[in-house]
């Protein structure tokens, strides 16, 4: 699934509980992980949560010092995710 102009770098759907995970990589060294599933912040409402990560030497680390957020963002519709992806791409 694309979020506006943003196509995921990777996509995974869990075969047991149906949780979906999308990863978006940006040229600025950031990554956004977008998740939808019943055991997340979005719960049964079928909304999304978003986490910002930063590339370190050989791993991704949660990135809490951004102008976007200092935590995981939850309870978001797809159009809101698009706005956050745009903002992350400009960090």
């Amino acid at each position: 699934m694309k979020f506006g102009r943003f196509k995921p770098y990777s996509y995974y759907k869990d075969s047991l509980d149906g949780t979906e995970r999308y990863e978006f990589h940006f040229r600025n060294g950031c990554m956004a992980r977008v998740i939808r599933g019943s055991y997340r912040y979005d719960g049964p409402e079928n909304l999304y949560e978003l986490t910002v990560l930063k590339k370190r030497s050989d791993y991704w680390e949660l990135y809490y010092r951004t102008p976007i957020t200092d935590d995981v963002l939850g309870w978001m519709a797809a159009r809101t995710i698009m706005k956050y992806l745009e903002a992350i791409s400009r960090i």
Side-chain angles (χ1 to χ4, degrees):
M1 172 179 182
K2 285 178 66 174
F3 290 86
R5 69 179 182 95
F6 298 98
K7 182 179 177 185
Y9 174 82
S10 67
Y11 168 76
Y12 170 78
K13 184 170 184 176
D14 189 290
S15 61
L16 295 177
D17 66 8
T19 297
E20 298 173 65
R21 183 180 73 208
Y22 305 85
E23 291 185 352
F24 299 87
H25 294 208
F26 299 96
R27 291 183 182 146
N28 59 13
C30 290
M31 175 176 68
R33 184 171 290 147
V34 177
I35 299 175
R36 176 170 61 175
S38 58
Y39 298 108
R40 303 293 177 182
Y41 286 165
D42 54 286
E45 280 74 22
N46 208 25
L47 298 173
Y48 298 92
E49 72 176 48
L50 179 140
T51 306
V52 181
L53 297 101
K54 184 78 171 172
K55 180 72 173 172
R56 297 297 175 213
S57 58
D58 59 345
Y59 63 95
W60 292 94
E61 175 179 87
L62 291 175
Y63 189 31
Y64 292 117
R65 291 186 233 163
T66 72
I68 312 299
T69 183
D70 61 357
D71 203 353
V72 175
L73 299 171
W75 304 94
M76 294 189 290
R79 68 183 170 279
T80 306
I81 293 291
M82 287 187 287
K83 292 176 185 177
Y84 278 102
L85 293 175
E86 188 65 48
I88 294 165
S89 73
R90 289 189 234 139
I91 291 179

